Amino acid sequence: MTTSTSAIEVAGSPDPHGDDGERAGRGDRTMRHFPVHHDGVTIPVSRGGRGRPLVLCPGLNTTQADLHELTELLRRDHDLVTFDLRGHGLASAAEQYSFEAFLSDLVAVMAGLDLPSAPVLVGYSLGADLVVHYASEHPDTVAGLVLIDGANPVPEPFITESELPEFRTMWEELATQHEAERGTERQVLLTAREILDLNLEIDVVRSEILDRYRKTDCPITMVMSASMAGDSGEGRALRRNQNWRAGVERLVHERPHVSTSWLDADHRLVFTHAPQVARIIGSAWS
């Protein structure tokens, strides 16, 4: 895999590898934007803020623009790097949207950075699974992990055979909503079938993710939603929420050093509870 980066002119920061790049390490708040080219796709990267380096990996159907409130809060105390995964936001479309393909996006972004020290990787949803896999393969390049409602070794698959029609309908509706955002920084180019297939793949990834945790020695903080599938106390939502909590309990039982915070929220916690999420990250990695 080949990776290349090039600077894009930003007001006040003509060259992220020149004098301004040096100021970034000393606490400059100037925003820098540059692309990473790899595997036939272009990944847009943004960097700004001051303090300890953090790299924020978004989740499926989530863009840098969607995470604006959280990123603005984190930039107050951290040198924050964000990016869009292939087929999301300002990133280009791709021929495939598999877990390994998204992981290659994160690997390429990390290879294109020039940070003063090993960063903390923050991942939301699918992004959490990606950063756990990255850390297990590159342990010496990561200071710690913050996992937001993802990378959960749930004992049962999230999508059962009987629930496939429900999820298929849900993602068809979501793909239709995405049509209205085409050409914007919030666009998602994946089809309903690609979203469904990826979620089925994520279930397989999470069934094996404990092995990845066993290869990861850095500090880990989890920020989890108490009602990830909604606050209904019955039916499928209840099963999904119980399965979600059981997965975290399973992880903490095996890896007692994992710190977990539960928020009274659903899976949209990065949008509905951004200040709380930012405070937890700040407390762990100030």
Side-chain angles (χ1 to χ4, degrees):
M1 179 185 71
T2 59
T3 302
S4 63
T5 64
S6 59
I8 293 179
E9 183 174 349
V10 180
S13 179
D15 183 0
H17 301 292
D19 293 338
D20 283 337
E22 294 180 4
R23 289 207 306 274
R26 299 199 297 266
D28 183 28
R29 286 179 177 269
T30 305
M31 285 295 300
R32 297 157 192 80
H33 305 280
F34 58 94
V36 170
H37 305 285
H38 86 107
D39 192 30
V41 299
T42 298
I43 304 298
V45 183
S46 302
R47 181 180 177 187
R50 60 186 181 186
R52 177 188 291 273
L54 297 185
V55 177
L56 174 59
C57 184
L60 181 62
N61 299 315
T62 307
T63 69
Q64 292 187 76
D66 295 327
L67 296 171
H68 176 75
E69 182 180 3
L70 178 60
T71 57
E72 286 302 303
L73 291 168
L74 292 176
R75 285 190 183 106
R76 295 176 181 176
D77 300 300
H78 301 92
D79 177 7
L80 181 68
V81 175
T82 63
F83 64 98
D84 286 322
L85 293 166
R86 60 181 59 203
H88 290 70
L90 299 177
S92 60
E95 293 184 359
Q96 61 174 319
Y97 297 104
S98 65
F99 183 85
E100 286 298 326
F102 284 124
L103 181 58
S104 75
D105 292 344
L106 173 59
V107 171
V109 168
M110 292 294 290
L113 297 176
D114 182 17
L115 300 175
S117 60
V120 175
L121 302 188
V122 182
Y124 165 58
S125 192
L126 166 64
D129 296 83
L130 295 176
V131 301
V132 168
H133 277 67
Y134 180 89
S136 72
E137 296 171 1
H138 306 84
D140 296 334
T141 67
V142 178
L145 300 177
V146 177
L147 312 175
I148 306 173
D149 230 32
N152 192 343
V154 288
E156 301 293 336
F158 186 72
I159 303 176
T160 64
E161 188 70 26
S162 64
E163 294 170 326
L164 271 175
E166 173 191 348
F167 281 100
R168 186 175 291 111
T169 298
M170 180 177 68
W171 284 315
E172 287 173 351
E173 293 174 352
L174 180 61
T176 299
Q177 294 173 16
H178 287 162
E179 290 290 336
E181 296 177 329
R182 289 292 175 94
T184 75
E185 60 184 356
R186 296 180 185 273
Q187 73 176 356
V188 176
L189 301 177
L190 281 70
T191 65
R193 180 55 187 266
E194 287 168 335
I195 296 172
L196 175 60
D197 288 347
L198 187 55
N199 274 275
L200 292 172
E201 186 180 4
I202 292 170
D203 267 345
V204 176
V205 167
R206 289 178 179 167
S207 72
E208 303 169 349
I209 201 168
L210 276 177
D211 288 337
R212 296 288 178 164
Y213 281 108
R214 295 181 184 117
K215 299 175 182 178
T216 306
D217 293 328
C218 65
I220 299 174
T221 297
M222 302 191 82
V223 186
M224 307 299 286
S225 62
S227 303
M228 71 87 62
D231 58 6
S232 173
E234 57 187 20
R236 290 175 175 173
L238 176 61
R239 181 194 73 81
R240 292 166 189 162
N241 291 336
Q242 290 175 336
N243 190 43
W244 201 242
R245 183 172 287 274
V248 176
E249 292 172 350
R250 182 185 183 193
L251 173 61
V252 173
H253 177 74
E254 176 160 330
R255 311 291 284 180
H257 68 282
V258 174
S259 172
T260 307
S261 296
W262 292 92
L263 295 183
D264 186 13
D266 60 23
H267 192 56
R268 300 171 299 165
L269 71 171
V270 289
F271 315 119
T272 60
H273 292 65
Q276 293 94 318
V277 173
R279 280 198 294 271
I280 294 170
I281 296 173
S283 296
W285 297 101
S286 57

